[in-house]
Amino acid sequence: MEDAKDEKTLKAFSERLTLGITRILENLPGVLDIRFAERDPAEKRCLLSWEQKNNCVLPDDLRDFYLTTDGFTLTWSAKLEHEPVPVGCMVINSVAKLQLLAQSNIYSLPSAPTLADLDFQDDWEGSEVPHFDSRSRIFELDRCAGNGRVCLVYSNCTPGGVSQQSEIWFLDCSLTWHFLTPSFTAYYRLMITHLGLPEWQYTFTPYGPSPQAKWASLYQPLTFHDDSHPDAAGELFLNKLDPARAFRGSSKVKPPAPKKKQPAQAPASGGATAKGPGATARQSVNKR
């Protein structure tokens, strides 16, 4: 009896933590193999140790998240030709994996360029773009299956100083930064809304997801279909179909016949009325 009660309590907790997304996925056609990894809460001493080690203060919402669960992983698959194909993946790294963004080992040669050498972006619409040098402290929240990095970014950092203000940014494969959300809570809701679809972070870039990833947008069309744009008045512009014009060729109503042009008459000289060829013939008969 107690085991059933604990299982029910754990299920209710999972529903609140995932914002009910598992129930939504279960009702989608073709979705199967939904897996949510249950984790224990992180200890407070681990959070304090992380802050002291990195000279950064965790935002309150991220701290509360780690005190609820030490990381987050939810995956699901879709049935394609009678075989399960992995589609969705939602990941938030644990405290132990919330590490500084590091470059690959292939660039460890003395003459190889560093990330700081590739820092070329200007500020983004009044917000300071993250930098790979000491001006920013960047921590990985999600590796995005190798398609980029979702990062917790502290800007305006000073050597030896404690950083407090943070934002969530996306670093694509070309090392270009894209702003996502000002807080962790907003990013978490964004991740749930997009169902963890492949390359969903690229919807916040000028080029969008790759063609290979867009097929999965069938499971969340409202967040991927961005072909319609607002017009100058701020209203959503949609193509309107006029059946009377679109199917005019298939109607049985005959088009009106074009009007015949009347022959142009030359002006009479000396005020006399011009005579046609018929009148000339009649005059010649009468003379005979």
Side-chain angles (χ1 to χ4, degrees), residues 174-218:
S174 65
L175 299 181
T176 303
W177 288 104
H178 307 277
F179 178 77
L180 290 181
T181 59
S183 65
F184 171 76
T185 301
Y187 170 75
Y188 184 78
R189 293 175 178 174
L190 205 62
M191 178 184 67
I192 296 295
T193 303
H194 287 80
L195 304 179
L197 293 172
E199 302 181 18
W200 70 265
Q201 294 89 353
Y202 279 88
T203 58
F204 298 91
T205 66
Y207 24 88
S210 64
Q212 292 80 6
K214 282 187 176 181
W215 72 271
S217 64
L218 296 173

mmCIF file of all heavy atoms in Angstrom, residues 174-218:
data_model
loop_
_atom_site.group_PDB
_atom_site.id
_atom_site.type_symbol
_atom_site.label_atom_id
_atom_site.label_comp_id
_atom_site.label_asym_id
_atom_site.label_seq_id
_atom_site.Cartn_x
_atom_site.Cartn_y
_atom_site.Cartn_z
ATOM 1 N N SER A 174 28.980 27.593 -35.772
ATOM 2 C CA SER A 174 29.896 28.569 -36.368
ATOM 3 C C SER A 174 30.462 29.524 -35.327
ATOM 4 O O SER A 174 31.048 30.545 -35.697
ATOM 5 C CB SER A 174 29.182 29.365 -37.466
ATOM 6 O OG SER A 174 28.132 30.144 -36.923
ATOM 7 N N LEU A 175 30.265 29.212 -34.037
ATOM 8 C CA LEU A 175 30.743 30.034 -32.921
ATOM 9 C C LEU A 175 30.105 31.422 -32.915
ATOM 10 O O LEU A 175 30.732 32.412 -32.540
ATOM 11 C CB LEU A 175 32.267 30.155 -32.936
ATOM 12 C CG LEU A 175 33.052 28.840 -32.812
ATOM 13 C CD1 LEU A 175 34.544 29.116 -32.807
ATOM 14 C CD2 LEU A 175 32.643 28.070 -31.570
ATOM 15 N N THR A 176 28.843 31.475 -33.351
ATOM 16 C CA THR A 176 28.073 32.716 -33.320
ATOM 17 C C THR A 176 27.065 32.634 -32.173
ATOM 18 O O THR A 176 26.388 31.623 -31.996
ATOM 19 C CB THR A 176 27.336 32.938 -34.644
ATOM 20 O OG1 THR A 176 28.291 32.946 -35.715
ATOM 21 C CG2 THR A 176 26.581 34.257 -34.638
ATOM 22 N N TRP A 177 26.958 33.712 -31.411
ATOM 23 C CA TRP A 177 26.075 33.750 -30.248
ATOM 24 C C TRP A 177 24.685 34.224 -30.643
ATOM 25 O O TRP A 177 24.538 35.125 -31.475
ATOM 26 C CB TRP A 177 26.648 34.666 -29.172
ATOM 27 C CG TRP A 177 27.843 34.115 -28.470
ATOM 28 C CD1 TRP A 177 29.145 34.483 -28.651
ATOM 29 C CD2 TRP A 177 27.842 33.098 -27.460
ATOM 30 N NE1 TRP A 177 29.962 33.751 -27.826
ATOM 31 C CE2 TRP A 177 29.192 32.900 -27.076
ATOM 32 C CE3 TRP A 177 26.853 32.336 -26.846
ATOM 33 C CZ2 TRP A 177 29.556 31.976 -26.109
ATOM 34 C CZ3 TRP A 177 27.218 31.412 -25.879
ATOM 35 C CH2 TRP A 177 28.545 31.236 -25.521
ATOM 36 N N HIS A 178 23.667 33.622 -29.999
ATOM 37 C CA HIS A 178 22.275 34.004 -30.208
ATOM 38 C C HIS A 178 21.583 34.046 -28.843
ATOM 39 O O HIS A 178 21.627 33.076 -28.089
ATOM 40 C CB HIS A 178 21.554 33.015 -31.130
ATOM 41 C CG HIS A 178 22.258 32.772 -32.426
ATOM 42 N ND1 HIS A 178 22.127 33.612 -33.519
ATOM 43 C CD2 HIS A 178 23.138 31.800 -32.801
ATOM 44 C CE1 HIS A 178 22.869 33.154 -34.508
ATOM 45 N NE2 HIS A 178 23.489 32.061 -34.102
ATOM 46 N N PHE A 179 20.956 35.174 -28.565
ATOM 47 C CA PHE A 179 20.276 35.335 -27.278
ATOM 48 C C PHE A 179 19.016 34.484 -27.230
ATOM 49 O O PHE A 179 18.228 34.450 -28.186
ATOM 50 C CB PHE A 179 19.926 36.808 -27.067
ATOM 51 C CG PHE A 179 19.176 37.071 -25.790
ATOM 52 C CD1 PHE A 179 19.835 37.099 -24.572
ATOM 53 C CD2 PHE A 179 17.810 37.284 -25.814
ATOM 54 C CE1 PHE A 179 19.150 37.343 -23.397
ATOM 55 C CE2 PHE A 179 17.113 37.531 -24.651
ATOM 56 C CZ PHE A 179 17.783 37.561 -23.436
ATOM 57 N N LEU A 180 18.803 33.794 -26.107
ATOM 58 C CA LEU A 180 17.605 32.982 -25.932
ATOM 59 C C LEU A 180 16.651 33.599 -24.924
ATOM 60 O O LEU A 180 15.571 34.064 -25.290
ATOM 61 C CB LEU A 180 17.999 31.559 -25.495
ATOM 62 C CG LEU A 180 18.698 30.693 -26.543
ATOM 63 C CD1 LEU A 180 19.010 29.317 -25.987
ATOM 64 C CD2 LEU A 180 17.844 30.568 -27.800
ATOM 65 N N THR A 181 17.019 33.638 -23.652
ATOM 66 C CA THR A 181 16.122 34.142 -22.616
ATOM 67 C C THR A 181 16.924 34.875 -21.548
ATOM 68 O O THR A 181 18.112 34.613 -21.356
ATOM 69 C CB THR A 181 15.345 32.990 -21.951
ATOM 70 O OG1 THR A 181 16.283 32.066 -21.363
ATOM 71 C CG2 THR A 181 14.478 32.248 -22.954
ATOM 72 N N PRO A 182 16.276 35.778 -20.811
ATOM 73 C CA PRO A 182 16.978 36.476 -19.729
ATOM 74 C C PRO A 182 17.074 35.676 -18.434
ATOM 75 O O PRO A 182 17.816 36.065 -17.531
ATOM 76 C CB PRO A 182 16.133 37.738 -19.526
ATOM 77 C CG PRO A 182 14.761 37.325 -19.933
ATOM 78 C CD PRO A 182 14.929 36.327 -21.040
ATOM 79 N N SER A 183 16.340 34.569 -18.338
ATOM 80 C CA SER A 183 16.350 33.788 -17.092
ATOM 81 C C SER A 183 16.278 32.304 -17.416
ATOM 82 O O SER A 183 15.872 31.899 -18.515
ATOM 83 C CB SER A 183 15.169 34.185 -16.192
ATOM 84 O OG SER A 183 13.938 33.849 -16.812
ATOM 85 N N PHE A 184 16.638 31.490 -16.406
ATOM 86 C CA PHE A 184 16.588 30.045 -16.591
ATOM 87 C C PHE A 184 15.144 29.552 -16.688
ATOM 88 O O PHE A 184 14.838 28.635 -17.457
ATOM 89 C CB PHE A 184 17.310 29.342 -15.447
ATOM 90 C CG PHE A 184 17.131 27.852 -15.442
ATOM 91 C CD1 PHE A 184 17.825 27.052 -16.329
ATOM 92 C CD2 PHE A 184 16.236 27.247 -14.561
ATOM 93 C CE1 PHE A 184 17.645 25.679 -16.346
ATOM 94 C CE2 PHE A 184 16.057 25.876 -14.566
ATOM 95 C CZ PHE A 184 16.763 25.092 -15.463
ATOM 96 N N THR A 185 14.247 30.141 -15.913
ATOM 97 C CA THR A 185 12.841 29.715 -15.947
ATOM 98 C C THR A 185 12.249 29.891 -17.337
ATOM 99 O O THR A 185 11.537 29.011 -17.835
ATOM 100 C CB THR A 185 12.025 30.506 -14.923
ATOM 101 O OG1 THR A 185 12.564 30.294 -13.613
ATOM 102 C CG2 THR A 185 10.573 30.068 -14.929
ATOM 103 N N ALA A 186 12.545 31.020 -17.976
ATOM 104 C CA ALA A 186 12.035 31.250 -19.330
ATOM 105 C C ALA A 186 12.608 30.234 -20.305
ATOM 106 O O ALA A 186 11.899 29.738 -21.194
ATOM 107 C CB ALA A 186 12.366 32.674 -19.769
ATOM 108 N N TYR A 187 13.890 29.895 -20.151
ATOM 109 C CA TYR A 187 14.480 28.904 -21.048
ATOM 110 C C TYR A 187 13.874 27.524 -20.808
ATOM 111 O O TYR A 187 13.614 26.777 -21.769
ATOM 112 C CB TYR A 187 15.991 28.834 -20.850
ATOM 113 C CG TYR A 187 16.607 27.663 -21.579
ATOM 114 C CD1 TYR A 187 16.775 27.686 -22.953
ATOM 115 C CD2 TYR A 187 16.980 26.503 -20.889
ATOM 116 C CE1 TYR A 187 17.319 26.610 -23.626
ATOM 117 C CE2 TYR A 187 17.517 25.417 -21.563
ATOM 118 C CZ TYR A 187 17.677 25.479 -22.934
ATOM 119 O OH TYR A 187 18.196 24.399 -23.595
ATOM 120 N N TYR A 188 13.632 27.173 -19.565
ATOM 121 C CA TYR A 188 13.064 25.860 -19.246
ATOM 122 C C TYR A 188 11.688 25.710 -19.890
ATOM 123 O O TYR A 188 11.364 24.671 -20.471
ATOM 124 C CB TYR A 188 12.982 25.709 -17.730
ATOM 125 C CG TYR A 188 12.506 24.358 -17.261
ATOM 126 C CD1 TYR A 188 13.359 23.264 -17.246
ATOM 127 C CD2 TYR A 188 11.192 24.172 -16.828
ATOM 128 C CE1 TYR A 188 12.928 22.024 -16.822
ATOM 129 C CE2 TYR A 188 10.748 22.942 -16.391
ATOM 130 C CZ TYR A 188 11.617 21.862 -16.391
ATOM 131 O OH TYR A 188 11.174 20.640 -15.969
ATOM 132 N N ARG A 189 10.874 26.750 -19.808
ATOM 133 C CA ARG A 189 9.557 26.691 -20.442
ATOM 134 C C ARG A 189 9.684 26.625 -21.958
ATOM 135 O O ARG A 189 8.892 25.952 -22.634
ATOM 136 C CB ARG A 189 8.737 27.916 -20.037
ATOM 137 C CG ARG A 189 8.362 27.935 -18.550
ATOM 138 C CD ARG A 189 7.669 29.227 -18.173
ATOM 139 N NE ARG A 189 7.272 29.229 -16.771
ATOM 140 C CZ ARG A 189 6.750 30.284 -16.152
ATOM 141 N NH1 ARG A 189 6.572 31.416 -16.812
ATOM 142 N NH2 ARG A 189 6.412 30.207 -14.880
ATOM 143 N N LEU A 190 10.675 27.310 -22.491
ATOM 144 C CA LEU A 190 10.902 27.281 -23.933
ATOM 145 C C LEU A 190 11.290 25.879 -24.390
ATOM 146 O O LEU A 190 10.820 25.393 -25.424
ATOM 147 C CB LEU A 190 11.995 28.282 -24.290
ATOM 148 C CG LEU A 190 12.017 28.860 -25.703
ATOM 149 C CD1 LEU A 190 10.741 29.654 -25.973
ATOM 150 C CD2 LEU A 190 13.221 29.750 -25.875
ATOM 151 N N MET A 191 12.132 25.226 -23.630
ATOM 152 C CA MET A 191 12.552 23.863 -23.960
ATOM 153 C C MET A 191 11.364 22.904 -23.920
ATOM 154 O O MET A 191 11.208 22.047 -24.810
ATOM 155 C CB MET A 191 13.634 23.409 -22.978
ATOM 156 C CG MET A 191 14.127 21.996 -23.187
ATOM 157 S SD MET A 191 15.314 21.479 -21.915
ATOM 158 C CE MET A 191 14.233 21.441 -20.459
ATOM 159 N N ILE A 192 10.515 23.042 -22.903
ATOM 160 C CA ILE A 192 9.341 22.178 -22.799
ATOM 161 C C ILE A 192 8.381 22.443 -23.953
ATOM 162 O O ILE A 192 7.810 21.521 -24.540
ATOM 163 C CB ILE A 192 8.650 22.391 -21.443
ATOM 164 C CG1 ILE A 192 9.570 21.966 -20.290
ATOM 165 C CG2 ILE A 192 7.336 21.637 -21.387
ATOM 166 C CD1 ILE A 192 9.889 20.499 -20.249
ATOM 167 N N THR A 193 8.192 23.706 -24.291
ATOM 168 C CA THR A 193 7.275 24.062 -25.376
ATOM 169 C C THR A 193 7.699 23.463 -26.705
ATOM 170 O O THR A 193 6.868 23.001 -27.492
ATOM 171 C CB THR A 193 7.175 25.588 -25.505
ATOM 172 O OG1 THR A 193 6.743 26.135 -24.256
ATOM 173 C CG2 THR A 193 6.202 25.988 -26.593
ATOM 174 N N HIS A 194 8.995 23.436 -26.958
ATOM 175 C CA HIS A 194 9.503 22.897 -28.218
ATOM 176 C C HIS A 194 9.690 21.380 -28.170
ATOM 177 O O HIS A 194 10.196 20.797 -29.141
ATOM 178 C CB HIS A 194 10.825 23.570 -28.583
ATOM 179 C CG HIS A 194 10.670 24.975 -29.057
ATOM 180 N ND1 HIS A 194 10.506 26.034 -28.196
ATOM 181 C CD2 HIS A 194 10.660 25.504 -30.299
ATOM 182 C CE1 HIS A 194 10.408 27.157 -28.881
ATOM 183 N NE2 HIS A 194 10.491 26.865 -30.156
ATOM 184 N N LEU A 195 9.314 20.745 -27.064
ATOM 185 C CA LEU A 195 9.341 19.282 -26.935
ATOM 186 C C LEU A 195 10.736 18.696 -27.109
ATOM 187 O O LEU A 195 10.876 17.511 -27.353
ATOM 188 C CB LEU A 195 8.395 18.626 -27.949
ATOM 189 C CG LEU A 195 6.934 19.077 -27.925
ATOM 190 C CD1 LEU A 195 6.141 18.351 -28.994
ATOM 191 C CD2 LEU A 195 6.309 18.873 -26.555
ATOM 192 N N GLY A 196 11.775 19.525 -27.016
ATOM 193 C CA GLY A 196 13.125 19.012 -27.202
ATOM 194 C C GLY A 196 13.397 18.508 -28.599
ATOM 195 O O GLY A 196 14.244 17.625 -28.792
ATOM 196 N N LEU A 197 12.710 19.069 -29.603
ATOM 197 C CA LEU A 197 12.892 18.614 -30.983
ATOM 198 C C LEU A 197 14.302 18.899 -31.479
ATOM 199 O O LEU A 197 14.975 19.794 -30.963
ATOM 200 C CB LEU A 197 11.871 19.305 -31.885
ATOM 201 C CG LEU A 197 10.419 18.905 -31.640
ATOM 202 C CD1 LEU A 197 9.485 19.786 -32.451
ATOM 203 C CD2 LEU A 197 10.182 17.442 -31.977
ATOM 204 N N PRO A 198 14.774 18.179 -32.469
ATOM 205 C CA PRO A 198 16.150 18.380 -32.949
ATOM 206 C C PRO A 198 16.380 19.813 -33.435
ATOM 207 O O PRO A 198 15.587 20.350 -34.213
ATOM 208 C CB PRO A 198 16.285 17.369 -34.099
ATOM 209 C CG PRO A 198 15.252 16.328 -33.812
ATOM 210 C CD PRO A 198 14.121 17.043 -33.156
ATOM 211 N N GLU A 199 17.449 20.417 -32.936
ATOM 212 C CA GLU A 199 17.892 21.748 -33.362
ATOM 213 C C GLU A 199 16.828 22.817 -33.142
ATOM 214 O O GLU A 199 16.759 23.806 -33.889
ATOM 215 C CB GLU A 199 18.311 21.727 -34.838
ATOM 216 C CG GLU A 199 19.428 20.739 -35.141
ATOM 217 C CD GLU A 199 19.841 20.769 -36.602
ATOM 218 O OE1 GLU A 199 19.527 21.755 -37.292
ATOM 219 O OE2 GLU A 199 20.475 19.794 -37.057
ATOM 220 N N TRP A 200 15.990 22.661 -32.126
ATOM 221 C CA TRP A 200 14.956 23.673 -31.911
ATOM 222 C C TRP A 200 15.554 25.024 -31.528
ATOM 223 O O TRP A 200 14.938 26.068 -31.766
ATOM 224 C CB TRP A 200 13.978 23.205 -30.829
ATOM 225 C CG TRP A 200 14.545 23.167 -29.433
ATOM 226 C CD1 TRP A 200 15.079 22.098 -28.804
ATOM 227 C CD2 TRP A 200 14.616 24.254 -28.506
ATOM 228 N NE1 TRP A 200 15.490 22.436 -27.545
ATOM 229 C CE2 TRP A 200 15.211 23.762 -27.331
ATOM 230 C CE3 TRP A 200 14.236 25.583 -28.551
ATOM 231 C CZ2 TRP A 200 15.444 24.551 -26.209
ATOM 232 C CZ3 TRP A 200 14.449 26.384 -27.427
ATOM 233 C CH2 TRP A 200 15.052 25.862 -26.284
ATOM 234 N N GLN A 201 16.762 25.041 -30.985
ATOM 235 C CA GLN A 201 17.393 26.319 -30.641
ATOM 236 C C GLN A 201 17.680 27.161 -31.880
ATOM 237 O O GLN A 201 17.777 28.387 -31.792
ATOM 238 C CB GLN A 201 18.697 26.071 -29.873
ATOM 239 C CG GLN A 201 18.518 25.427 -28.512
ATOM 240 C CD GLN A 201 18.533 23.913 -28.576
ATOM 241 O OE1 GLN A 201 18.553 23.330 -29.664
ATOM 242 N NE2 GLN A 201 18.536 23.254 -27.432
ATOM 243 N N TYR A 202 17.788 26.516 -33.031
ATOM 244 C CA TYR A 202 18.094 27.260 -34.262
ATOM 245 C C TYR A 202 16.909 28.072 -34.762
ATOM 246 O O TYR A 202 17.064 28.857 -35.703
ATOM 247 C CB TYR A 202 18.571 26.304 -35.346
ATOM 248 C CG TYR A 202 20.024 25.923 -35.208
ATOM 249 C CD1 TYR A 202 20.402 24.833 -34.427
ATOM 250 C CD2 TYR A 202 21.025 26.654 -35.845
ATOM 251 C CE1 TYR A 202 21.735 24.483 -34.286
ATOM 252 C CE2 TYR A 202 22.360 26.306 -35.713
ATOM 253 C CZ TYR A 202 22.707 25.223 -34.928
ATOM 254 O OH TYR A 202 24.035 24.887 -34.784
ATOM 255 N N THR A 203 15.735 27.901 -34.184
ATOM 256 C CA THR A 203 14.611 28.766 -34.545
ATOM 257 C C THR A 203 14.843 30.195 -34.086
ATOM 258 O O THR A 203 14.151 31.111 -34.547
ATOM 259 C CB THR A 203 13.303 28.237 -33.942
ATOM 260 O OG1 THR A 203 13.431 28.146 -32.517
ATOM 261 C CG2 THR A 203 12.969 26.875 -34.495
ATOM 262 N N PHE A 204 15.799 30.404 -33.201
ATOM 263 C CA PHE A 204 16.128 31.747 -32.721
ATOM 264 C C PHE A 204 17.372 32.294 -33.425
ATOM 265 O O PHE A 204 18.003 33.218 -32.927
ATOM 266 C CB PHE A 204 16.334 31.721 -31.210
ATOM 267 C CG PHE A 204 15.100 31.298 -30.464
ATOM 268 C CD1 PHE A 204 14.867 29.963 -30.156
ATOM 269 C CD2 PHE A 204 14.147 32.226 -30.089
ATOM 270 C CE1 PHE A 204 13.731 29.570 -29.487
ATOM 271 C CE2 PHE A 204 13.001 31.845 -29.420
ATOM 272 C CZ PHE A 204 12.790 30.510 -29.112
ATOM 273 N N THR A 205 17.707 31.706 -34.548
ATOM 274 C CA THR A 205 18.810 32.179 -35.374
ATOM 275 C C THR A 205 18.247 32.667 -36.708
ATOM 276 O O THR A 205 17.112 32.313 -37.069
ATOM 277 C CB THR A 205 19.834 31.057 -35.626
ATOM 278 O OG1 THR A 205 19.213 30.030 -36.418
ATOM 279 C CG2 THR A 205 20.307 30.453 -34.306
ATOM 280 N N PRO A 206 18.995 33.458 -37.459
ATOM 281 C CA PRO A 206 18.474 33.936 -38.750
ATOM 282 C C PRO A 206 18.261 32.835 -39.779
ATOM 283 O O PRO A 206 17.471 33.009 -40.712
ATOM 284 C CB PRO A 206 19.565 34.919 -39.223
ATOM 285 C CG PRO A 206 20.304 35.312 -38.002
ATOM 286 C CD PRO A 206 20.274 34.110 -37.107
ATOM 287 N N TYR A 207 18.905 31.680 -39.640
ATOM 288 C CA TYR A 207 18.827 30.645 -40.662
ATOM 289 C C TYR A 207 17.941 29.469 -40.278
ATOM 290 O O TYR A 207 17.553 28.697 -41.136
ATOM 291 C CB TYR A 207 20.227 30.127 -41.025
ATOM 292 C CG TYR A 207 21.261 30.318 -39.948
ATOM 293 C CD1 TYR A 207 21.459 29.370 -38.947
ATOM 294 C CD2 TYR A 207 22.037 31.480 -39.909
ATOM 295 C CE1 TYR A 207 22.406 29.564 -37.973
ATOM 296 C CE2 TYR A 207 22.979 31.680 -38.929
ATOM 297 C CZ TYR A 207 23.171 30.723 -37.960
ATOM 298 O OH TYR A 207 24.093 30.922 -36.967
ATOM 299 N N GLY A 208 17.596 29.292 -39.015
ATOM 300 C CA GLY A 208 16.663 28.252 -38.620
ATOM 301 C C GLY A 208 17.261 26.854 -38.636
ATOM 302 O O GLY A 208 18.434 26.663 -38.962
ATOM 303 N N PRO A 209 16.451 25.854 -38.298
ATOM 304 C CA PRO A 209 16.946 24.476 -38.276
ATOM 305 C C PRO A 209 17.310 23.981 -39.667
ATOM 306 O O PRO A 209 16.874 24.522 -40.683
ATOM 307 C CB PRO A 209 15.759 23.679 -37.698
ATOM 308 C CG PRO A 209 14.868 24.686 -37.074
ATOM 309 C CD PRO A 209 15.064 25.951 -37.826
ATOM 310 N N SER A 210 18.123 22.943 -39.704
ATOM 311 C CA SER A 210 18.526 22.357 -40.982
ATOM 312 C C SER A 210 17.352 21.600 -41.599
ATOM 313 O O SER A 210 16.404 21.219 -40.909
ATOM 314 C CB SER A 210 19.709 21.403 -40.765
ATOM 315 O OG SER A 210 19.314 20.310 -39.945
ATOM 316 N N PRO A 211 17.382 21.367 -42.913
ATOM 317 C CA PRO A 211 16.296 20.598 -43.544
ATOM 318 C C PRO A 211 16.139 19.201 -42.953
ATOM 319 O O PRO A 211 15.037 18.658 -42.923
ATOM 320 C CB PRO A 211 16.724 20.541 -45.018
ATOM 321 C CG PRO A 211 17.610 21.725 -45.204
ATOM 322 C CD PRO A 211 18.340 21.889 -43.902
ATOM 323 N N GLN A 212 17.231 18.607 -42.485
ATOM 324 C CA GLN A 212 17.143 17.268 -41.898
ATOM 325 C C GLN A 212 16.369 17.278 -40.589
ATOM 326 O O GLN A 212 15.803 16.265 -40.192
ATOM 327 C CB GLN A 212 18.545 16.699 -41.658
ATOM 328 C CG GLN A 212 19.329 16.389 -42.915
ATOM 329 C CD GLN A 212 19.963 17.616 -43.527
ATOM 330 O OE1 GLN A 212 19.903 18.703 -42.950
ATOM 331 N NE2 GLN A 212 20.577 17.466 -44.681
ATOM 332 N N ALA A 213 16.340 18.417 -39.904
ATOM 333 C CA ALA A 213 15.656 18.492 -38.605
ATOM 334 C C ALA A 213 14.234 19.004 -38.720
ATOM 335 O O ALA A 213 13.444 18.825 -37.786
ATOM 336 C CB ALA A 213 16.448 19.391 -37.652
ATOM 337 N N LYS A 214 13.874 19.630 -39.836
ATOM 338 C CA LYS A 214 12.553 20.243 -39.945
ATOM 339 C C LYS A 214 11.428 19.221 -40.049
ATOM 340 O O LYS A 214 10.274 19.548 -39.786
ATOM 341 C CB LYS A 214 12.517 21.181 -41.153
ATOM 342 C CG LYS A 214 13.196 22.517 -40.896
ATOM 343 C CD LYS A 214 12.981 23.468 -42.060
ATOM 344 C CE LYS A 214 13.574 24.835 -41.748
ATOM 345 N NZ LYS A 214 13.371 25.795 -42.852
ATOM 346 N N TRP A 215 11.747 17.979 -40.444
ATOM 347 C CA TRP A 215 10.674 16.991 -40.552
ATOM 348 C C TRP A 215 10.042 16.729 -39.193
ATOM 349 O O TRP A 215 8.848 16.424 -39.096
ATOM 350 C CB TRP A 215 11.216 15.683 -41.126
ATOM 351 C CG TRP A 215 12.092 14.918 -40.175
ATOM 352 C CD1 TRP A 215 13.428 15.040 -40.024
ATOM 353 C CD2 TRP A 215 11.663 13.934 -39.224
ATOM 354 N NE1 TRP A 215 13.879 14.193 -39.042
ATOM 355 C CE2 TRP A 215 12.811 13.498 -38.524
ATOM 356 C CE3 TRP A 215 10.430 13.385 -38.880
ATOM 357 C CZ2 TRP A 215 12.755 12.544 -37.529
ATOM 358 C CZ3 TRP A 215 10.382 12.417 -37.883
ATOM 359 C CH2 TRP A 215 11.540 12.003 -37.228
ATOM 360 N N ALA A 216 10.829 16.867 -38.116
ATOM 361 C CA ALA A 216 10.301 16.623 -36.777
ATOM 362 C C ALA A 216 9.381 17.726 -36.307
ATOM 363 O O ALA A 216 8.700 17.560 -35.293
ATOM 364 C CB ALA A 216 11.461 16.457 -35.783
ATOM 365 N N SER A 217 9.319 18.852 -37.020
ATOM 366 C CA SER A 217 8.447 19.950 -36.605
ATOM 367 C C SER A 217 6.975 19.608 -36.780
ATOM 368 O O SER A 217 6.112 20.365 -36.361
ATOM 369 C CB SER A 217 8.776 21.210 -37.406
ATOM 370 O OG SER A 217 8.502 21.008 -38.782
ATOM 371 N N LEU A 218 6.679 18.465 -37.391
ATOM 372 C CA LEU A 218 5.291 18.036 -37.493
ATOM 373 C C LEU A 218 4.667 17.820 -36.116
ATOM 374 O O LEU A 218 3.446 17.889 -35.966
ATOM 375 C CB LEU A 218 5.206 16.732 -38.304
ATOM 376 C CG LEU A 218 5.653 16.820 -39.770
ATOM 377 C CD1 LEU A 218 5.666 15.433 -40.382
ATOM 378 C CD2 LEU A 218 4.723 17.731 -40.542
#
